[in-house]
């Protein structure tokens, strides 16, 4: 319970919580126990089994129900006298506009995606309502305070960009297990069980000149006279044997790399049949598709065991057989789902077989599921700590004690005998286009680029606008909305397909356009600079936006061709760019930031190499976390990373 001097501010406050997941459950409980009387919650998600190990307000009987509504009911059982209003909806819905936000004393974010965070940040700025942001990943966490005109807004500093992997690395020269996972999930699984007509680089080698006529056809098409085992053998030999063998013919590729080893069925399993456990027949007779498991079929029990090449091959064949024998109707429409045990087993086995070829250490099913689902192990205690810190900062804001507000970092290992590191908030960034309305500069070939390119690649993707309106002077070029007349919709659709310089009010070099989001009440001026040529590898969008500064690429790989780590071109495979689901996050190298004396934020990896003196009043140095082999999965998240569901069902 709060102290006596804090209670008036707390009891008179009207609080908006956005997110009722990992942090949200802890936050709602802490708010209720601290004396808050009027709480509103927005969350669009429903409860899943995998949430139950850390989102303690939920039970098995709640699976499938609204998180916001169940959280409300759970807290009212021990605080029946308070008011909690749940909204099972998307915070980006039009009814959650600036006027809606203006009714609140403070907004507390427990979100799990960058897009929604930016949206809430802009609404809070427009409504002049303080925002307390938060995020956790494993043992790490942070809480930041954003007050219009007094502190930097959420978008004043660049956010970590998603990790991308060039297709050539995935298909030809993997060096990390995550490369094998991406190959197994996004290429092999998609090719076997997804849309057969989708573009896929997996069997591109099938058309190579070869003496074998078998490879002139689409290898993934099952022949009419072929049983499942024959089909599986042919797929196995093609992707793990023939493709590797063909890749070895390019000697230049392997001058400075270890050569991979082709693997064929006969080398691993010979002619021995797949050994199944005694309950396999019962499994095949069971119509409950969610219980299908290659592990159970083979009698494998521990998901944390690392399977041998032979065991991985058996799981590969068993999973493929179960898909084609028991889930035939789904073939052609399947997409990888981290909550589908059979899909995870197949991807794990395929990734491990490929890893064996390239001499990459193998991983357990438990580890592979974490990588395939972009998952960090959740730590409920971290969520509870961060929720407590959110409430502490919210109370300071409500008491107008903004001078005492702190950005607080939760560390995994003590620094100066502290696990919680407070940092004084920074002033607004004068070059921030969101809170300082600084004009942006766009370099673009106005004779080639269409208005659609501008809208998709800049306005929605980079500027994060949901309902954009684009004007040139007093002329309206494009608008999105449900209340538009049909002729206006047709007119704007026609404009999308026109080259910029050929629009009714032409956009050329020297033009200034205004981009506005009516819902977010955000206005941006963009100066247009005509430019003829762009580097297709370094500038795949065919346009460059200045003044909007993305984070540097997560990995400086000489083979990488990403655009500041955020390319959406066909030259790279990336982790999810915008996280819509409750339990997804970005793959990046580091995430928790550290603030040196100069006022510029840096990543943890930068700190250990710096001898810069730190101004104790202005900032604290956060120690570098222990190095992790491979990629570090860091959350722009609400603590809802989904690793809890046991794989062995």
């Amino acid at each position: 319970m709060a102290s006596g001097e804090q209670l008036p501010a707390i009891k008179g406050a009207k609080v908006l919580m956005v997110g009722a997941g990992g942090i949200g459950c802890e936050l709602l409980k802490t708010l209720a126990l601290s004396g808050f009387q009027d709480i509103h919650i927005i969350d669009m998600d429903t409860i899943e089994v995998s949430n139950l190990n850390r989102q303690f307000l939920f039970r098995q009987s709640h699976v499938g129900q609204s998180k916001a509504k169940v959280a409300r009911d759970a807290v009212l059982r021990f605080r029946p006298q308070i008011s909690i209003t749940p909204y099972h909806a998307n915070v980006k819905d039009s009814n959650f506009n600036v006027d809606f936000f203006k009714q609140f004393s403070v907004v507390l974010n427990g979100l799990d995606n960058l897009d929604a965070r930016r949206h809430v940040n802009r609404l809070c700025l427009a409504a002049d309502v303080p925002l307390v942001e938060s995020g956790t990943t494993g043992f790490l966490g942070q809480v930041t305070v954003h007050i219009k005109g007094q502190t930097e807004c959420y978008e004043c500093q660049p956010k970590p960009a998603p990790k991308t992997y060039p297709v050539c690395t995935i298909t030809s020269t993997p060096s990390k297990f995550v490369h094998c996972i991406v190959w197994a999930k996004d290429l092999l699984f998609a090719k076997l069980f997804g849309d057969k007509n989708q573009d896929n680089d997996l069997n591109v080698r099938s058309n190579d000149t070869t003496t074998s006529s078998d490879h002139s056809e689409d290898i993934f098409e099952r022949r009419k006279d072929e049983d499942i085992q024959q089909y599986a053998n042919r797929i196995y030999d093609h992707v793990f044997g023939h493709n590797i063998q063909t890749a070895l013919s390019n000697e230049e590729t392997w001058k400075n790399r270890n050569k991979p080893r082709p693997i064929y069925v006969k080398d691993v399993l010979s002619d021995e049949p797949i050994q199944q456990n005694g309950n396999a027949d019962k499994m095949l007779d069971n119509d409950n598709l969610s219980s299908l498991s290659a592990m159970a079929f083979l009698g494998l029990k521990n998901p944390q065991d690392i399977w041998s090449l032979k065991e991985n091959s058996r799981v590969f064949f068993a999973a493929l057989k179960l898909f084609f024998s028991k889930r035939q109707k789904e073939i052609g429409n399947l997409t990888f789902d981290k909550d589908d045990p059979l899909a995870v087993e197949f991807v794990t086995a395929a990734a491990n077989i490929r890893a064996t070829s390239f001499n990459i250490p193998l991983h357990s099913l438990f580890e592979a599921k974490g990588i395939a689902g972009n998952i960090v192990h959740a730590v409920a205690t971290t969520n509870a700590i961060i929720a407590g810190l959110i409430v502490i900062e919210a109370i300071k804001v409500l008491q107008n004690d903004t001078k005492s507000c702190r950005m607080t970092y939760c560390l995994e290992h003590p620094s100066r005998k502290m696990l919680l590191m407070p940092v004084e908030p920074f002033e607004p960034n004068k070059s921030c286009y969101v809170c300082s309305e600084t004009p942006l500069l766009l370099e673009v070939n106005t004779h080639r680029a269409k208005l659609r390119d501008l809208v998709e690649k800049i306005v929605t993707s980079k500027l994060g606008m949901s309902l954009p309106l684009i004007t040139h002077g007093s002329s309206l070029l494009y608008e999105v909305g449900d209340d538009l007349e049909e002729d206006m919709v047709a007119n704007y659709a026609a404009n999308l397909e026109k080259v910029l310089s050929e629009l009714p009010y032409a956009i050329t070099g020297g033009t200034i356009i205004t981009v506005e989001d009516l819902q977010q009440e955000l206005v941006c001026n963009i100066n247009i600079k005509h430019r003829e040529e762009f580097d297709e590898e370094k500038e795949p969008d065919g346009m460059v936006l200045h003044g909007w500064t993305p984070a540097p690429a997560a990995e400086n790989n000489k083979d990488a061709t990403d655009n500041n780590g955020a390319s959406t071109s066909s030259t790279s495979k990336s982790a999810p760019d915008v996280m819509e689901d409750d339990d997804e996050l970005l793959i990046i190298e580091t995430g928790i930031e550290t603030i040196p004396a100069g006022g510029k934020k840096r990543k943890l990896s930068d700190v250990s190499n710096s001898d810069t003196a730190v101004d104790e009043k202005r900032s604290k140095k956060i120690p570098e976390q222990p190095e992790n082999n491979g990629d570090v999965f860091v959350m722009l998240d609400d603590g809802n990373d989904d690793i809890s569901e046991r794989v062995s069902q």
Side-chain angles (χ1 to χ4, degrees):
M1 183 66 78
S3 65
E5 62 183 31
Q6 295 172 335
L7 280 176
I10 290 174
K11 288 187 175 181
K14 188 173 184 178
V15 178
L16 175 62
M17 275 179 52
V18 188
I23 290 176
C25 281
E26 294 285 352
L27 179 56
L28 182 59
K29 175 260 297 181
T30 306
L31 288 170
L33 295 178
S34 298
F36 285 84
Q37 302 292 306
D38 190 359
I39 306 168
H40 293 240
I41 318 168
I42 301 174
D43 196 303
M44 66 183 291
D45 286 331
T46 55
I47 298 162
E48 299 179 9
V49 172
S50 55
N51 303 145
L52 301 181
N53 82 321
R54 64 198 180 283
Q55 297 173 26
F56 69 98
L57 296 178
F58 309 142
R59 297 293 182 267
Q60 181 73 43
S61 60
H62 298 141
V63 171
Q65 298 181 42
S66 162
K67 284 188 174 182
K69 293 178 180 178
V70 173
R72 168 193 179 273
D73 294 342
V75 170
L76 287 181
R77 279 197 287 271
F78 60 85
R79 276 290 185 271
Q81 72 277 17
I82 69 175
S83 171
I84 302 177
T85 306
Y87 305 88
H88 180 57
N90 189 334
V91 72
K92 296 183 72 176
D93 289 349
S94 59
N95 51 313
F96 301 125
N97 54 23
V98 174
D99 288 335
F100 174 85
F101 272 69
K102 282 182 178 179
Q103 66 182 299
F104 298 103
S105 310
V106 66
V107 175
L108 313 178
N109 259 2
L111 282 164
D112 60 0
N113 71 83
L114 182 61
D115 186 44
R117 278 185 161 130
R118 294 195 298 187
H119 185 78
V120 172
N121 175 63
R122 295 170 185 186
L123 288 173
C124 286
L125 286 170
D128 198 9
V129 176
L131 169 66
V132 182
E133 258 291 354
S134 65
T136 66
T137 175
F139 293 103
L140 304 177
Q142 62 190 47
V143 173
T144 56
V145 181
H146 307 282
I147 304 173
K148 184 177 181 179
Q150 298 183 49
T151 71
E152 63 182 13
C153 79
Y154 177 73
E155 296 176 77
C156 274
Q157 300 294 337
K159 298 298 178 281
K163 180 69 171 288
T164 62
Y165 301 106
V167 166
C168 59
T169 298
I170 301 301
T171 58
S172 304
T173 57
S175 58
K176 298 179 180 180
F177 188 70
V178 66
H179 298 158
C180 300
I181 286 287
V182 172
W183 176 89
K185 180 179 73 167
D186 294 343
L187 296 183
L188 183 58
F189 185 90
K191 190 68 177 178
L192 285 171
F193 309 118
D195 183 0
K196 298 290 184 184
N197 298 320
Q198 67 181 335
D199 292 333
N200 195 309
D201 296 284
L202 239 198
N203 65 339
V204 70
R205 299 187 186 280
S206 301
N207 298 323
D208 291 349
T209 54
T210 173
T211 56
S212 172
S213 60
D214 290 343
H215 298 294
S216 61
E217 60 182 321
D218 184 350
I219 200 74
F220 291 92
E221 282 294 327
R222 187 176 170 189
R223 299 164 185 163
K224 293 181 180 180
D225 58 345
E226 197 171 38
D227 63 31
I228 295 176
Q229 189 61 52
Q230 290 172 328
Y231 175 67
N233 286 350
R234 188 160 56 81
I235 296 299
Y236 188 105
D237 283 346
H238 175 77
V239 297
F240 301 120
H242 169 74
N243 275 5
I244 302 294
Q245 193 72 56
T246 304
L248 286 170
S249 63
N250 186 352
E251 296 182 2
E252 190 69 26
T253 302
W254 310 107
K255 276 188 176 180
N256 300 310
R257 294 184 175 93
N258 293 325
K259 292 184 177 182
R261 171 170 68 95
I263 299 175
Y264 294 92
V265 176
K266 61 182 178 60
D267 301 326
V268 180
L269 298 178
S270 301
D271 295 326
E272 62 182 82
I274 295 177
Q275 299 295 320
Q276 60 191 54
N277 75 348
N279 296 320
D281 292 335
K282 293 182 180 180
M283 179 187 298
L284 292 175
D285 293 335
N286 189 352
D287 292 330
N288 184 5
L289 301 183
S290 63
S291 67
L292 288 177
S293 166
M295 283 184 66
F297 186 82
L298 298 171
L300 299 172
K301 297 180 179 179
N302 189 352
Q304 299 198 39
D305 285 343
I306 296 179
W307 302 327
S308 66
L309 174 60
K310 182 176 288 188
E311 287 172 324
N312 276 293
S313 299
R314 286 174 173 166
V315 171
F316 177 91
F317 285 120
L320 194 145
K321 180 178 180 180
L322 288 171
F323 269 119
F324 276 92
S325 61
K326 300 296 290 183
R327 298 174 62 173
Q328 179 68 40
K329 293 181 180 179
E330 299 176 69
I331 303 298
N333 298 305
L334 278 170
T335 56
F336 177 81
D337 183 348
K338 65 182 182 299
D339 294 318
D340 181 342
L342 196 59
V344 174
E345 289 167 345
F346 178 86
V347 166
T348 299
N352 273 327
I353 298 168
R354 184 164 176 82
T356 302
S357 285
F358 286 87
N359 198 30
I360 297 170
L362 307 188
H363 286 59
S364 69
L365 180 80
F366 183 78
E367 295 168 322
K369 180 183 179 182
I371 298 171
N374 302 334
I375 295 165
V376 179
H377 295 256
V379 179
T381 306
T382 309
N383 292 339
I385 293 170
I386 293 301
L389 291 170
I390 294 171
V391 175
I392 289 172
E393 296 305 320
I395 292 173
K396 294 177 186 177
V397 169
L398 294 171
Q399 292 183 299
N400 293 318
D401 187 16
T402 54
K403 291 184 178 179
S404 299
C405 289
R406 294 292 181 269
M407 300 187 294
T408 306
Y409 297 86
C410 180
L411 311 179
E412 183 174 357
H413 301 283
S415 173
R416 302 174 186 173
K417 299 183 180 180
M418 292 190 295
L419 283 173
L420 296 179
M421 188 70 70
V423 179
E424 187 175 336
F426 290 113
E427 295 178 355
N429 182 352
K430 293 181 180 179
S431 62
C432 175
Y433 74 92
V434 177
C435 65
S436 299
E437 299 183 2
T438 301
L440 302 172
L441 172 66
L442 178 65
E443 292 184 314
V444 60
N445 188 322
T446 57
H447 302 311
R448 283 206 303 258
K450 296 180 179 180
L451 182 62
R452 177 181 297 279
D453 298 322
L454 176 64
V455 171
E456 293 180 352
K457 296 177 180 179
I458 302 298
V459 177
T460 57
S461 178
K462 288 184 168 59
L463 301 184
M465 294 191 176
S466 304
L467 299 172
L469 181 151
I470 303 175
T471 57
H472 178 193
S474 60
S475 305
L476 187 57
L477 299 176
Y478 180 72
E479 184 179 6
V480 175
D482 296 330
D483 56 346
L484 299 178
E485 300 290 338
E486 288 187 9
D487 58 336
M488 296 174 66
V489 172
N491 182 49
Y492 296 144
N495 281 351
L496 284 176
E497 304 308 322
K498 293 179 181 178
V499 172
L500 295 177
S501 60
E502 297 176 0
L503 286 165
Y505 297 91
I507 296 177
T508 57
T511 298
I512 299 177
I513 62 172
T514 300
V515 184
E516 183 176 358
D517 190 306
L518 298 179
Q519 185 182 8
Q520 299 173 353
E521 293 195 7
L522 174 66
V523 179
C524 246
N525 290 320
I526 303 179
N527 296 318
I528 303 297
K529 180 180 179 180
H530 177 78
R531 178 173 154 191
E532 283 293 330
E533 301 297 333
F534 292 86
D535 188 312
E536 291 184 2
E537 290 190 353
K538 295 180 180 179
E539 302 161 329
D541 287 339
M543 53 185 72
V544 178
L545 184 65
H546 300 278
W548 172 86
T549 310
E555 180 180 62
N556 293 323
N557 188 313
K558 65 181 179 180
D559 296 324
T561 57
D562 53 30
N563 178 24
N564 290 320
S567 171
T568 55
S569 73
S570 60
T571 59
S572 65
K573 292 284 179 185
S574 70
D577 186 19
V578 177
M579 297 168 286
E580 296 295 343
D581 295 331
D582 182 57
D583 299 310
E584 293 186 302
L585 53 144
L586 299 179
I587 302 177
I588 52 180
E589 290 296 329
T590 58
I592 301 298
E593 296 165 316
T594 180
I595 297 84
K600 182 181 178 183
K601 293 188 176 181
R602 292 181 295 170
K603 297 179 181 178
L604 289 173
S605 56
D606 298 328
V607 177
S608 60
N609 298 324
S610 174
D611 295 315
T612 304
V614 179
D615 181 343
E616 292 292 342
K617 182 179 179 181
R618 172 69 170 166
S619 60
K620 299 284 185 181
K621 182 188 289 184
I622 298 178
E624 184 176 11
Q625 300 302 314
E627 184 177 351
N628 198 347
N629 292 328
D631 296 298
V632 179
F633 297 89
V634 177
M635 203 148 38
L636 300 175
D637 188 26
D638 68 334
N640 296 342
D641 41 310
D642 187 352
I643 197 65
S644 60
E645 185 175 4
R646 289 183 177 272
V647 182
S648 56
Q649 296 290 330

